[in-house]
Structure formats: structure tokens, C-alpha cells
Amino acid sequence: MTSTLPIVSFKGVNRRFKTPDGQVTTALSDIDLNIYPGEFVSIIGPSGCGKSTLIRIAGDLLPPSSGEVMVNGKPPHQTRLNREYGMVFQAATLYEWRSVLKNIELPLEIMRWPAEKRESRAREMLELVQLSDFASNYPWQLSGGMQQRVAIARALTFEPSLLFMDEPFGALDEITRERMNIELLNIWQKTKTTVIFITHSIQEAVYLSSRIIVLSPRPGKIVDDIAIDLPYPRAPEVRDSDTFHRLVSKVRTELHA
Amino acid sequence: MTSATELSTLAVTGLSVEAPRSLPVQDTGFDIAALLTIGLIVVLFHILAPALRADSQTGQAFSAMSLRQVITVVFGFLTIALAAGENNKSDRMKAFSLPAIRWLVRGIVAFYVIYAVVLLVSLSGSLPLVLLLFAFASTLISAIVYILILGATITGNERNTTQQGQPSPGTLLRWVASALLGTYTLYTVASVFFGLEIAIDTILPALLELAGLASVVALWQPWNRGVLYRQQLGKVLPAILIFVGVLVLWELIVKAFDIQQFILPAPSVTIATFTSIYPGLVNQGWLTFQNALWGFGIGCGAGIFFGLASARFGGFSKTVLPYAIAVNSIPIVAFAPITNAWFGVVNPTSKIIIVAILTFFPTMINTVRGLTSVDPASLELMRSLAASEFDIFRKVRLPVALPFILNGLKISTSLSMIGAIVAEYFGGPITGLGVDLKSNAMLNRFPLVWSQIIIASALGIMFYFVVSLVERLIMPWHITFRPRTD
């Protein structure tokens, strides 16, 4: 692992915010983190610990207050302009005036792909997230889980080497969430994209990740970096194994430490 | 894997995404289109036939040339709508997505834009030949498109029905009926727009009219729509009952208390007056409505333009908005004497300006509000994709703003009619609705006043509905048009 270059690296990254009453709070403090190609890294922590801030800094949606961030060997700003990452937000953020197919085509339209190529790629992506029958439907005709799958398809249409997921299944119910986890693992193994995944569900993090970064409550600091040595492909039954339970309780202990 | 398939089957059945296609009847829009077409065929026949033109009331009512042209254009659109049928909206859309038709439609739009420009230029000078050439070319292209769309939709229909494994018994009938109706449309276009009164003294117009009427009924097939009518009856019945009830009560009160006519005429008197003078009313109404329409176009056009500009350039918004608010707080109608002095009392410009100022503000405010009420997450997504400002504007801000803009336009429809009438209170052409309304009121001819109020509100309501229809066409995805789940 350490022999290859990191795809995302944080060096001494801090992020401070000004609250409306003029005080300064620190969201992230001294983050040092390297993420390597092909990893599935979950970042877990209590709410308000700066998990989303971390991913937003990597995606150049927020600047760091200090420290150095490199994504794909470049400053995040350049990576964003090169469109080298896909982003999935907590809300599906589908445009209601576009059909499912057209929503998936959106990044390709911005990248000025020709129409036929756009459509055939979008249809491939629909196949990948198993929504081929819904190409001409509108987002409001889909359930929450299906909407989130469309958002994942949209983030992956241009085959980015990095996928940032900011609590993508946070708003889904437990049953749908577990199904989405299974599907996400399938997609990850098919596309071989590096995934950085924000969550506040311990079970989800352990089931999905090859590595879990545990953040402390505000100001967010890295408390632990846990390798999850469960082999892929992971069947849903993994959740019942002893190793799984052991890892879950380990993460839980770190979170409450 | 199975779980995902299960999930999607569940969703399909739960949402009934595959709406039952065999159900031929969707809403009453098709019925309204059919009834309107029948009405227009009758009206157009009265306009066309030289004998009826002078002698019949309908012929006189629609004597204004501009009104005839509008009726003919509407008739053409209705013909296409009827020929395309109602039970396959997606096929109709597919016909429009054929490259050839898309280009032709663009061609037509371009032609009509030039037509409008030439028309505006010819208001000052006169360029009748160029105008005629453009009219001819655009009509020719319209005819070609009409035939192409017709062909595409009908073959689309046929493919659809055969795919479902059912024979399509009505296909030939549809073809013949559409062709007949199309012929009659082209005949009226030729007559109204170009004065080509082909065989007008023979039996041909009457035959074509009858064929057109029969075609509408054949395409409409009201006998198959009983279920829909029964469903709709329950919805509209209360409104109709209240309307009739109020009229009856009104009549009874006027009769029982022997109320003087100048205070409140009985509905029966108003209706009698209306039917006896409606040719004049239609002409008056149309004259005033044209002012409303031009004012609406200028005011709303400027409103949208400045709204877009001010959302794009923040500084611009700060500069313009205070003035816009100031202008809006002036009682605009008080400007009427001033615009009369500027442009002349009988010059329509003096009325159009009033309407334009009146409709500018609501449109602009709504446009600005729409463009700035974009959800931050939508913008963040565009930012993560490194989208240009122009892409963000085109793909996010504008679609978000559309419902707001159309809301502004809908408010402006009624404002423009009010503005056009009230502006005439301060003087205007003697043939205008507002001028005549005022003098009738001064002479205590209240049944006439009420008749004029009827025609004014009818035009206002029509205008509102046209804008609503446009809204429905350009943003079918909007929450207000989604099928209700109950």
C-alpha cells in the first residue's frame, strides 16, 4: 500500500469557521491523512465533527484555513477544474425538470460530449445501478433509494478516478440502506474507483470500507485509522460474523473514547 | 442482485409507473380542443362566405382582420392537436424529436420572428410585398410540418397499437379525417391570409365545412368518453350549480324588489342586450385587447430582460430595483393623460405604454425571485462539476425561475386587460371598449355596461388560460401538474 503514491493527501489541514455571533470555531484540526488508489475509506464521527468539511475541502468546495491538500497529485482546485472526481451528496440533488436519463447526462453535457455518446453512456450507467426501466421517469416518481442510485450513476458517468460520498444514505431507512450498501459494493468493485465515504453509521462503515478513519467531536481530529481486514467480495452475511461484530465494537469504542 | 430487482418491481407496482396504456381517455383537454374546433369551424365559415360575412351577426362580430388571422392560426393548431390524438403524448413528442421536423419548426419560428419584425417596420412605412412573401413562405413551411407531424404521429399510433397486439380499427378513419380537416385548415388559411377565395361562390366551402365538422367528431369520438364525463361531472357540477344559482337569485331579487335598471339590471336583460349587440362588442373588445397584448409583450419582455440582467449583475439590481419599486408605487393609471399628451389620444401607443408599465413590475420581481431561489445544493453540484456560469444559468437558474416567471406572466394577463380598459377612460378611439364603457356608464345604460364587462372578462380569462396552457407545455414536470395520487 505505502509503496504507491496517495491519491488524496491532507497535511496539517485546519479549518476554522466564523459563527454568526462573530466567534471563531475550529471544525478540523491538524488533519494528516493519506488515501491510496483503490481504497474504500469511510470517515466516521459524531455529527458536527467536520466530516463533511473534510470532503468539501478535498473537492474544492471549501478552502482549508491552513495546511496542504493534494488530490490526484494536484491542488484540489485544479482537480475540480479537470473534473477528476464525482460527488454524491446527502440529498440526491436531482433536477426535477430533467428525466432520470437527462439527470445522468448532466455532467456529460457540461463536458460537451456529443448527444449520442451522452445517451449511450447514461444508459450504461442506468444499467449499472439497475434502473434501466426508469430512464424516462422524473425524479419525483422514484423512491429515495432509487433517487440516490441515480445520483451515484450521475457521479460516475464520466468515470472519475475518485468518488466523494457525503452521507449518501443518511436519509434512507435501515432496510433500503442495507440494500444500497450491497449495491454500492458491487458498483465499487466493477468500477475500481477510489471512494471516500462519509457516514455516521458504524455498521455501514465496517461493512463497506477497507479502512475507517474515526474523527473526534469538534474540533475534528483523527482519533484512529482502522484497517478492515474482511475479504471482498463481502456477502451480506458478513454482517453476522464475529469479526464484523468485533470491528463494530472497536469503532464504537474509539468513537466514544 | 435479487433484492435490487425486487426493489424495482416493487417500485413499479407501487408507483404504477407503467400507466395503463389501454385507457384511451386522460383528461378533458381533448374534449375542449374538439369543441373549440367545432366552434371555430362554424365561425370561420361565417367569416369566409361572402353572403354570410355581411348579413350574419357572427360574420360582423369577427370583421376585424387581425382577429380572423388569430382565429385561423388557433384553428390550425387545434387541427394538429386533434389529428395527433390524445392517448400518446410521448409519441407526439417523438414526432417533434425527429431531426427534420425539429429543423422545420426552427425554420418556422425564425420566419415568424422575421414576419413580426417586418410587421413592426411596416407600421411606420409600408412593405406589403415583403410581408406577403414572408407570410407565404412561413405558411408553406407550416403546411409541410403539419403534414410531417401528422404522418409521424399517425404511424406512431399505429406502431403502438400493433405492438400491444391489438388491431387498430380507426387508423384509416384517422388518416381520412385528419386529411379532410387539414384541407379545410389550408383552405381557410389561403382565404384569410392571402385572400385566395377559391370557388367561394360554389358549394365547395359548405362541403368542406361539413367534412371538417364530421372529421372533428370522427377524431374526437365522444361516445367513447362517457367514463371521463361521469368522473368530471362530479368535479364541475358544484361550480356550475353555484353559478346558475347566483344568476337565478340575482334575477329573483331584481324582480322581487323591483330594482331600477341603472342600479342593477337583471341577468336576463343583460344577456338579451349582449346577444343583440355582440358583433360590436367583439370588435371593441378585440381592439382594446390588442393594446393589452402589445403592452403585455413589451412590459413582460422588459420585465424578464431586466430580471435576468439584475440577477446576473448584482450591482445592476441595486441600481434598478429602487426605481422599479418607485415606479410601481405610482398609480400608473394617472399616467394615462400624460401618455395621451405624448402619443395622441387615439394612438394605441398611449394605451400600450400604460399596460407595459403596469405589467413590468410583477414580471421583473418574479423573475429576480425565481433566479435567486436556487437551492444551494444544486449550485454546489454544478460547482463540483466545474460548470461555467453560463451552464449554471441555463441548466439550473433558468429552469428554477420558470415557474416564477410564468406566475408573473399570469398575474400580468389580468393586469394588462385592466390597464388597457382603464387607460381608455381618459380618452381613446371611439371604437375602444373602455371609451364606450365609460360613456355608457355616464348615460346610465347599464345593461350595455354589464355586457361590456362580460366581454372584457371573457377576454381576460381567455388570455389567462392561454398563458396557463403555455406554462403546462413548457414545464410539464412542475409539481402542480403531477398526477394526484389519491
Side-chain angles (χ1 to χ4, degrees), chain B residues 140-165:
Chain B
L140 193 70
I141 295 184
S142 317
I144 296 169
V145 169
Y146 165 73
I147 291 161
L148 280 175
I149 293 177
L150 202 66
T153 45
I154 290 177
T155 47
N157 282 356
E158 194 176 11
R159 222 176 301 127
N160 228 4
T161 37
T162 40
Q163 265 172 12
Q164 287 170 25

Side-chain angles (χ1 to χ4, degrees), chain B residues 180-218:
Chain B
L180 276 176
L181 195 55
T183 314
Y184 188 58
T185 314
L186 292 179
Y187 182 80
T188 44
V189 168
S191 171
V192 172
F193 279 90
F194 306 117
L196 301 173
E197 302 188 331
I198 308 156
I200 203 98
D201 297 326
T202 63
I203 201 165
L204 181 73
L207 274 182
L208 274 175
E209 189 211 8
L210 289 177
L213 286 174
S215 306
V216 174
V217 176

Side-chain angles (χ1 to χ4, degrees), chain A residues 3 20 22-23 42 47 62 68 71 76 93 95 108 110-111 132-133 157 176 179-180 188 213 232 234 237 248 252 256:
Chain A
S3 60
Q23 287 177 320
S42 284
S47 32
L62 272 179
E68 193 190 329
V71 181
T93 329
Y95 294 159
L108 306 179
I110 291 167
M111 295 163 86
S132 298
D133 294 341
T157 35
T176 317
R179 280 180 174 156
M180 294 296 292
W188 175 61
I213 310 292
Y232 292 102
R234 290 179 188 165
E237 294 75 48
V248 166
R252 185 173 293 131
H256 297 293

